[in-house]
Amino acid sequence: METIATETRTRYHRISKTISGLLIVIGIAVSWVGSTQFATSTYSADFFAPSFNVWFSTLWISVCYPMFIIGALVFNRESRSREGVLNLHRNCETIYGPEGLNIRSFFKLSGSFCVCWAVTNYLYVYALGLIAPADVTALFASNNAFIYILSWVWLHERLQLLPARGLSVLLSTGGIVLISYAEGLKGTTAAGTIMSIGSAIGAAIYKVLFKRFIGDATYGQVSLFLSVLSFFNLLFLWPFFIIFYFTGFEIIDWYNIPWDYLCGSAALSVVFNFLINFGIALTFPLFIALGTVIGIPLNAVVDYIFRNLPFGWLKIGGTLLIIGGFVIMLLPESWQEACWPKRRNDELQPLLEETTDEPAE
């Protein structure tokens, strides 16, 4: 009887985890598409200010840590006391090192990552004003290939000479080329394509540097890190959109700021980041990745219906290549190794390790 009860509980847990995963996939896809589309809708003759857009949206990320604390108080009895909250905060603070959060770690970690965050998002949002949102999201999805390459260069991770990994990078590269060719390599479309690829590289740099300097972090630590990053953004990054405004580089009509679209984009961006960071606790990691993949064709549908922007065959082909590369990179390594003779991989690995003897600066 105990065995039957255990199997029933296990089956129920898997079903609930799968259902939660499907809901999270939908939430990730819809929030990403919604945030992207709202950000695109902010652009008009009276407003073209991606730096203000990014600064304003990043302010909303500050709610991450308060939301985590509230969740801990609701679901964790040990945290329902002053001492419990203090212990929880001390644990979260360890993301900044043994000394916790101080002036030095605030500028060194939060400052550095906030700059990378801002530049990456700036390139992404600026590209939305130049080319179709579906094209931007498709190109941005190639960041997994850049993560793989940068992990080998900066993290000195063992480079697996697997056909699947190499094929993933090639597919992503081919997809970038097709979409770039479809957009046309001249004028604003070329700039939009370059900025989209730049945002993908920026996202890869952010994730790899986070892994290198911070490592594996708990949900509470990530929440605190994002909230502090938002505070750094509030204090130090506002001069940039002021400078861009007075130099005429960006357009802001202070009487016609599209607050509805800005708030919609910022709110959905918070939902997206929340589901990405906390959804993995409720479902399988594969579902989290699939949410971003589904967002690409969903953006194309929204572009076609509401913006009358066609998605030609070259773009479809390029998007399929990038999605294919994205999905292949998610395959378990054991599946990929089955396609590559272990002896051959062991013979070539020492040659690759020779290139990683010197520490990365």
Side-chain angles (χ1 to χ4, degrees):
M1 293 295 294
E2 291 183 0
T3 303
I4 296 176
T6 301
E7 291 178 353
T8 302
R9 285 195 298 269
T10 302
R11 189 180 301 110
Y12 174 78
H13 177 70
R14 288 178 178 175
I15 293 174
S16 62
K17 201 170 183 180
T18 301
I19 294 174
S20 299
L22 294 175
L23 294 175
I24 290 173
V25 165
I26 296 172
I28 290 174
V30 171
S31 60
W32 188 28
V33 171
S35 177
T36 298
Q37 293 292 338
F38 275 131
T40 305
S41 296
T42 61
Y43 292 125
S44 67
D46 298 321
F47 186 87
F48 192 98
S51 61
F52 181 83
N53 193 325
V54 172
W55 180 82
F56 181 76
S57 295
T58 305
L59 293 181
W60 288 54
I61 302 296
S62 60
V63 303
C64 287
Y65 191 57
M67 289 175 64
F68 170 78
I69 294 296
I70 293 172
L73 293 175
V74 172
F75 297 105
N76 189 354
R77 292 183 179 181
E78 297 178 357
S79 302
R80 298 175 186 174
S81 65
R82 183 174 182 275
E83 188 63 28
V85 172
L86 289 176
N87 289 334
L88 185 65
H89 178 70
R90 292 190 192 102
N91 177 266
C92 294
E93 257 194 320
T94 56
I95 192 173
Y96 292 97
E99 299 179 358
L101 179 60
N102 53 36
I103 297 296
R104 182 173 178 272
S105 60
F106 176 71
F107 282 96
K108 181 180 178 181
L109 285 180
S110 295
S112 302
F113 280 94
C114 185
V115 171
C116 184
W117 169 289
V119 171
T120 298
N121 283 278
Y122 178 83
L123 293 173
Y124 183 88
V125 174
Y126 200 111
L128 292 174
L130 303 178
I131 59 177
D135 300 344
V136 177
T137 53
L139 292 169
F140 182 80
S142 65
N143 72 84
N144 261 24
F146 295 115
I147 290 174
Y148 176 58
I149 295 171
L150 292 176
S151 295
W152 174 50
V153 176
W154 285 343
L155 301 183
H156 302 302
E157 290 188 352
R158 181 174 180 265
L159 181 65
Q160 295 290 339
L161 284 180
L162 304 176
R165 294 283 179 91
L167 179 61
S168 175
V169 175
L170 289 176
L171 287 177
S172 297
T173 304
I176 291 173
V177 171
L178 277 180
I179 294 177
S180 301
Y181 180 77
E183 281 291 344
L185 300 176
K186 59 182 180 179
T188 56
T189 55
T193 300
I194 293 171
M195 287 185 173
S196 300
I197 298 171
S199 67
I201 296 174
I205 292 174
Y206 181 94
K207 293 177 181 178
V208 172
L209 290 182
F210 191 94
K211 180 71 173 179
R212 176 174 180 178
F213 292 105
I214 296 177
D216 296 324
T218 64
Y219 306 116
Q221 291 170 342
V222 172
S223 299
L224 176 62
F225 186 82
L226 290 176
S227 291
V228 175
L229 182 147
S230 174
F231 185 64
F232 185 95
N233 167 77
L234 170 66
L235 293 179
F236 298 107
L237 297 191
W238 60 267
F240 288 96
F241 70 78
I242 297 296
I243 293 172
F244 290 160
Y245 168 71
F246 281 107
T247 57
F249 186 71
E250 294 185 355
I251 301 170
I252 304 178
D253 183 345
W254 298 101
Y255 296 100
N256 292 295
I257 294 179
W259 291 113
D260 49 351
Y261 292 131
L262 286 171
C263 290
S265 177
L268 289 174
S269 178
V270 171
V271 173
F272 175 76
N273 280 282
F274 182 84
L275 291 175
I276 287 289
N277 288 297
F278 297 101
I280 196 171
L282 302 174
T283 186
F284 304 102
L286 178 62
F287 283 179
I288 304 299
L290 287 178
T292 57
V293 173
I294 294 175
I296 299 173
L298 190 57
N299 254 317
V301 172
V302 173
D303 283 348
Y304 181 76
I305 295 176
F306 295 100
R307 302 183 188 278
N308 198 27
L309 295 175
F311 203 67
W313 289 108
L314 283 177
K315 293 182 181 180
I316 292 175
T319 300
L320 290 177
L321 288 178
I322 291 175
I323 292 176
F326 188 94
V327 172
I328 289 174
M329 193 69 75
L330 298 176
L331 294 177
E333 195 167 285
S334 58
W335 293 11
Q336 300 178 37
E337 287 177 340
C339 302
W340 186 257
K342 185 178 185 301
R343 184 173 65 86
R344 177 61 175 168
N345 191 57
D346 292 341
E347 288 174 357
L348 294 178
Q349 188 60 37
L351 299 177
L352 290 168
E353 291 175 348
E354 290 178 3
T355 64
T356 58
D357 286 340
E358 296 296 329
E361 295 296 335

